Amino acid sequence: MHSVGDMDVLNVLGDNGDMSTPVPTPSREPRVVAPPEDLQEMLNLARLLEDCSAPAMLLGPDGEQIPLPLEVDEVLRQVVSAMGSGASVSVEPIDRQLTTQQAANLLGVSRNTLVRLLDEHELPFERLGASRHRRLRLQDVLAYRERKRIDRRSRLDELTRQASEDGLYDVDAGAYRSALAEARKS
């Protein structure tokens, strides 16, 4: 994830490509763009971008060529990469406000789980006036998701290290299952 000013340059969504009902941004309604059904053109574009070290150029209808700013070139490369692998994408302002349901969808948890996280102060939120409705900043939700990803990776690395130290990688599957069954009994 890279940030350009106040923009979240790439947000790759799940299989259904849905973040619930989007909250409108001042300029226009955000939208999710699905990859084309035939990915060949996207893959050709990805190969072209990989082979170029300089930023891409925009060719206007009158033949005028304008080099893309580095930040826009980076966004283009990320979008093409994500769509080339079959993911839907959405470019959103980083300070966009999300409903609790939208944030839950983005994190892949239930709304009840998200509310519990809010109550436990795991994520900052704002209330709309005197109402019960809470809003979360997209930036905060993405930062939380990244912290959790790093934490999961760290825990997995530790489990792998422990398993390696205990010699569990050198044991055949049958012996491992027997040892696991024995450990569960005790």
Side-chain angles (χ1 to χ4, degrees), residues 9-78:
V9 297
L10 179 63
N11 176 20
V12 180
L13 303 175
D15 291 339
N16 64 359
D18 183 27
M19 280 182 30
S20 190
T21 306
V23 175
T25 59
S27 60
R28 66 183 183 96
E29 191 75 22
R31 62 184 214 131
V32 173
V33 180
E37 288 193 24
D38 180 8
L39 293 179
Q40 191 56 52
E41 287 181 356
M42 195 62 62
L43 295 173
N44 291 342
L45 180 56
R47 262 193 302 280
L48 175 73
L49 290 171
E50 285 174 12
D51 292 341
C52 294
S53 58
M57 299 280 279
L58 183 63
L59 178 63
D62 60 355
E64 181 183 5
Q65 293 183 4
I66 300 172
L68 293 179
L70 290 174
E71 297 84 358
V72 175
D73 185 71
E74 179 62 25
V75 171
L76 175 63
R77 290 171 189 269
Q78 289 183 38

Side-chain angles (χ1 to χ4, degrees), residues 8 11 44 69 108 120-121 136 146 149 153 157 166 173 183:
D8 169 24
N11 176 20
N44 291 342
E120 293 172 354
H121 305 288
L136 296 88
E146 181 64 12
R149 187 193 66 75
R153 169 54 56 194
D157 288 346
D166 293 342

Side-chain angles (χ1 to χ4, degrees), residues 131-143:
S131 81
R132 297 178 351 184
H133 298 286
R134 300 180 244 203
R135 295 290 184 263
L136 296 88
R137 289 182 25 215
L138 175 61
Q139 180 177 8
D140 295 333
V141 174
L142 294 174

Side-chain angles (χ1 to χ4, degrees), residues 118-167:
L118 297 179
D119 291 341
E120 293 172 354
H121 305 288
E122 291 286 324
L123 279 158
F125 64 90
E126 299 171 3
R127 290 202 186 269
L128 297 177
S131 81
R132 297 178 351 184
H133 298 286
R134 300 180 244 203
R135 295 290 184 263
L136 296 88
R137 289 182 25 215
L138 175 61
Q139 180 177 8
D140 295 333
V141 174
L142 294 174
Y144 174 81
R145 184 174 72 177
E146 181 64 12
R147 282 192 314 271
K148 290 311 219 179
R149 187 193 66 75
I150 290 169
D151 184 50
R152 278 191 308 274
R153 169 54 56 194
S154 173
R155 289 175 191 223
L156 181 58
D157 288 346
E158 177 61 20
L159 287 171
T160 302
R161 185 191 62 74
Q162 288 176 357
S164 181
E165 285 177 3
D166 293 342

